[in-house]
Amino acid sequence: MEAEYATYIADAAKFIAASFCALSMMAAAKGVSKIWIAMIDTVGRNPTVKSDVNAFGLIGFAATEAIALYALVIALIMLFL
């Protein structure tokens, strides 16, 4: 009987931990949107710096998106292992 309760508590803890990973993915999505907004705003003000802004913006986008992918992988590991 107690073993069943321990299993239920462990399953609940896994789902709560996965939800925290989902929160970090939401924060990464917000960061990506801020990067794109800043890129569009900067190029709109000074179109001559498009190539410089594009290079740094894509690097920032890749780094921010990598955080979301790492969080997804960790969530899947917690749920299925």
Side-chain angles (χ1 to χ4, degrees):
M1 190 90 164
E2 289 181 20
E4 285 182 31
Y5 292 131
T7 304
Y8 293 146
I9 291 172
D11 287 341
K14 284 197 297 190
F15 289 127
I16 291 170
S19 69
F20 286 142
C21 287
L23 288 175
S24 67
M25 286 186 272
M26 183 182 66
K30 188 174 180 180
V32 167
S33 68
K34 284 189 174 215
I35 289 171
W36 286 111
I37 289 169
M39 284 178 59
I40 291 169
D41 189 39
T42 302
V43 172
R45 290 175 188 241
N46 189 2
T48 59
V49 297
K50 182 180 179 185
S51 62
D52 295 334
V53 170
N54 195 19
F56 288 119
L58 290 177
I59 291 169
F61 168 75
T64 307
E65 194 66 28
I67 294 169
L69 291 175
Y70 293 149
L72 176 65
V73 168
I74 290 171
L76 291 174
I77 287 171
M78 283 189 291
L79 287 176
F80 295 114
L81 290 182

